[in-house]
Amino acid sequence: MAHDPTDAAAALAELGRIKLSETDLDGVLHQVADLARRTLPGAGEVSITLLRGRRAATAAQTGGTSLRLDELQYERGAGPCLTAAAEKITVEVPDTATDDRWDGWGAEAARAGMGSVLSLSLPIGESVRGALNVYGGPARAFDAAAVTLAETFVRYAAVALANAHLYDTTASLAQHMQAAMESRAVIEQAKGIIMGERRCSADEAFAILTRVSQDSNRKLRDVAAALVERTQRG
């Protein structure tokens, strides 16, 4: 399949221009999948598999067929995308109709209209592995040049996704820390109110809050916040 190298260069440049302040990990995943479909020669549909421990899921896809074929692999526990993600390799399926690996998955792909598949390892983080899955309609849709370009593409994509994952994780941690600080502040306020009303120690005030939390089956922070709000209302 003829391919314009200018398109490839533009795609790699676009991966490098993704602004994490304007999107999130999910947004980057979908950008990568869409860009791969538009850029890689032979690509009919593209999906991205994420593997966390033993749990696999399709995080982004450009069509329903790729999603169904991914999920069939997850159900069976075997397939090119799982192999690529787990073993950190590139898996080529030149002709799905004649491929006898993975308990007949290739035949299912052929019946679904995907004659060839290219799954490439997509490292994202220590706890998350991935694979970029490129589905082609005809058999042998990916020649050597297409495979080389796809491997170059995933190296750039992996950097963008690793940065997005780190950014997302850091932002989430910051939010949790902020929430924890706010919870601590309101709990300290509630303790001060109880200490003033009951002339008790800080430990005794905290024990009272804890007992109310357990008896009412509510979070300690919510109990404290309700007490502070009632006091502020007079």
Side-chain angles (χ1 to χ4, degrees):
M1 178 178 176
H3 181 67
D4 184 354
T6 304
D7 292 342
L12 299 180
E14 187 172 336
L15 285 173
R17 289 196 300 268
I18 293 175
K19 295 182 179 180
L20 301 180
S21 59
E22 298 177 357
T23 185
D24 55 11
L25 178 59
D26 184 65
V28 177
L29 285 163
H30 282 85
Q31 286 185 54
V32 168
D34 183 65
L35 193 57
R37 182 191 60 77
R38 291 188 282 113
T39 303
L40 301 180
E45 292 188 17
V46 172
S47 67
I48 296 177
T49 294
L50 293 187
L51 188 61
R52 291 182 172 90
R54 295 184 178 181
R55 183 175 177 273
T58 297
Q61 78 283 333
T62 64
T65 302
S66 58
L67 176 60
R68 289 194 300 274
L69 292 175
D70 283 357
E71 291 180 338
L72 185 60
Q73 295 179 63
Y74 309 151
E75 291 170 7
R76 298 183 178 187
C81 71
L82 292 177
T83 301
E87 299 182 17
K88 301 179 181 179
I89 59 174
T90 296
V91 179
E92 297 181 55
V93 187
D95 187 350
T96 57
T98 61
D99 196 291
D100 59 2
R101 292 173 287 180
W102 309 301
D103 193 26
W105 178 87
E108 296 282 359
R111 281 193 289 272
M114 295 300 177
S116 50
V117 182
L118 184 63
S119 288
L120 306 103
S121 173
L122 189 60
I124 297 174
E126 291 184 6
S127 61
V128 183
R129 289 166 290 172
L132 180 76
N133 312 304
V134 190
Y135 290 88
R140 297 175 181 83
F142 312 112
D143 59 16
V147 174
T148 298
L149 176 58
E151 290 178 336
T152 301
F153 181 92
V154 294
R155 286 197 293 271
Y156 280 77
V159 173
L161 287 169
N163 288 339
H165 181 256
L166 178 61
Y167 186 92
D168 191 66
T169 301
T170 302
S172 178
L173 178 60
Q175 290 173 355
H176 287 313
M177 290 181 64
Q178 179 66 26
M181 291 174 65
E182 292 173 355
S183 294
R184 180 172 180 176
V186 76
I187 289 170
E188 289 299 320
Q189 283 184 277
K191 282 168 57 179
I193 292 169
I194 294 173
M195 290 167 64
E197 291 178 347
R198 303 202 179 190
R199 300 294 189 269
C200 62
S201 68
D203 288 342
E204 290 170 333
F206 185 74
I208 292 170
L209 281 173
T210 302
R211 186 164 59 249
V212 173
S213 172
Q214 292 171 345
D215 292 346
S216 61
N217 195 27
R218 297 158 63 199
K219 292 181 180 179
L220 183 63
R221 183 197 182 283
D222 292 341
V223 171
L227 174 58
V228 171
E229 184 180 355
R230 283 198 305 270
T231 302
Q232 289 175 344
R233 288 202 308 262

